[in-house]
Amino acid sequence: MTETRTAIVTGAARGIGAATAKRLADDGMQVAVLDLDEAAAQPVVDEIIAAGGRALAVGADVADSDSVKAAVERVAAELGAPTVIVNNAGIIRDNLLFKMSVDEWDLVMAVHLRGAFNTVKHAQQYMVEAKFGRVINLSSTSAQGNRGQANYAAAKAGLQGYTKTLAIELGKFGITANAVAPGFTVTEMIQETADRIGVSLEDFKAHAAKEIAVARVGYPEDIANAISFFADEKSGYVSGQVLYVAGGPKD
Ligand code: NAD
């Protein structure tokens, strides 16, 4: 029997993160459901526990190194050594470049890039000690460029370079690093975009589906399924990859 692994999923109070936390728990892992507000993460924990799993709600800001350090230490003490890290926390601050503020640029970089740096930096010692680790970073099809998303596209492309570098540096410790790059996935982030451009969610989904090869939009469980593959004990020879989960070819 393989060891019970402990995962940290950031931004897991809702959307793709919540679906991933539940999926990894179904896969047999103990899961830290990390989000800005601990109380907001608790319902996901309750669902996992009700289904027979083990989970812990943790409040932390991934952009803040001290906050992440404390969170990682708490997970290690209360749940188990964290060796599966899913860097999912994300935000959008969309604007055309000429209107984009420095704050909008910096905030997106801080959550996606510094956030993914902070978690691995603080969890690294546990993975090295276990001679096992799985890092999965959430990129996006926007990494290839998307109007109104100079900040987000740069961060998501940056995460791909970060992923490949982690794979190279940490591979010899039994740690893999991969990225999942979702296309249109129905979550509150998509609702925010629909609100910003002034269309209903239903119209936005229908319009998006027309451009997608499988003729439908994605759902959080579609993305969680790919993350589950990379997190699997048996996926140890797959590292430094970017998997587009977008209902069609995207790169
Ligand atoms: P979402 O907005 O529904 O959820 C994001 C979660 O991250 C929220 O619970 C939020 O509170 C949390 N979060 C934000 N900032 C944080 C911080 N500083 N510290 C801790 N938690 C923080 O988003 P989603 O659609 O589920 O997206 C999840 C990930 O997938 C993001 O990285 C996003 O960029 C990426 N993604 C989403 C889509 C999509 O179509 N939905 C497509 C491509 C990539």
Side-chain angles (χ1 to χ4, degrees):
M1 226 187 82
T2 51
E3 208 172 308
T4 302
R5 303 294 186 186
T6 300
I8 296 178
V9 183
T10 71
R14 68 184 203 191
I16 294 169
T20 300
K22 288 186 257 179
R23 174 59 190 265
L24 296 185
D26 278 352
D27 291 346
M29 293 179 203
Q30 313 181 131
V31 184
V33 179
L34 185 150
D35 213 293
L36 281 170
D37 175 15
E38 183 172 323
Q42 192 59 45
V44 178
V45 168
D46 293 343
E47 263 192 73
I48 291 173
I49 292 171
R54 215 172 148 226
L56 176 73
V58 181
D61 177 354
V62 295
D64 179 330
S65 180
D66 291 343
S67 171
V68 174
K69 185 171 190 284
V72 168
E73 284 170 4
R74 190 178 154 212
V75 172
E78 294 183 32
L79 212 52
T83 55
V84 177
I85 308 295
V86 182
N87 286 309
N88 167 82
I91 55 163
I92 45 173
R93 290 292 182 275
D94 296 355
N95 231 333
L96 291 175
L97 185 74
F98 80 103
K99 289 196 267 185
M100 189 174 284
S101 68
V102 171
D103 282 351
E104 286 169 338
W105 177 271
D106 285 349
L107 195 57
V108 167
M109 292 300 155
V111 174
H112 295 268
L113 284 176
R114 199 197 306 146
F117 166 74
N118 283 338
T119 54
V120 179
K121 179 102 178 145
H122 294 301
Q124 174 175 239
Q125 55 172 315
Y126 298 103
M127 297 191 274
V128 169
E129 207 167 298
K131 296 188 175 60
F132 171 86
R134 299 279 182 265
V135 178
I136 299 105
N137 296 320
L138 269 290
S139 180
S140 167
T141 49
S142 294
Q144 311 202 30
N146 197 22
R147 192 176 169 79
Q149 291 198 314
N151 48 2
Y152 185 82
K156 291 308 199 186
L159 278 168
Q160 297 191 10
Y162 174 63
T163 301
K164 289 168 195 283
T165 303
L166 290 181
I168 291 165
E169 286 190 18
L170 302 177
K172 64 180 172 215
F173 303 110
I175 301 166
T176 65
N178 292 285
V180 170
F184 191 108
T185 310
V186 181
T187 67
E188 285 176 59
M189 188 180 271
I190 286 290
Q191 177 73 61
E192 278 171 32
T193 307
D195 292 346
R196 183 176 56 83
I197 59 180
V199 296
S200 73
L201 183 61
E202 284 317 305
D203 285 351
F204 197 33
K205 280 161 59 179
H207 179 78
K210 284 191 194 133
E211 305 294 318
I212 299 171
V214 299
R216 70 164 177 90
V217 293
Y219 290 90
E221 293 71 23
D222 291 312
I223 312 307
N225 191 45
I227 295 169
S228 165
F229 166 73
F230 284 130
D232 197 299
E233 201 89 24
K234 295 188 284 295
S235 298
Y237 202 52
V238 184
S239 197
Q241 301 304 305
V242 179
L243 180 62
Y244 282 84
V245 183
K250 278 285 175 179
D251 57 348

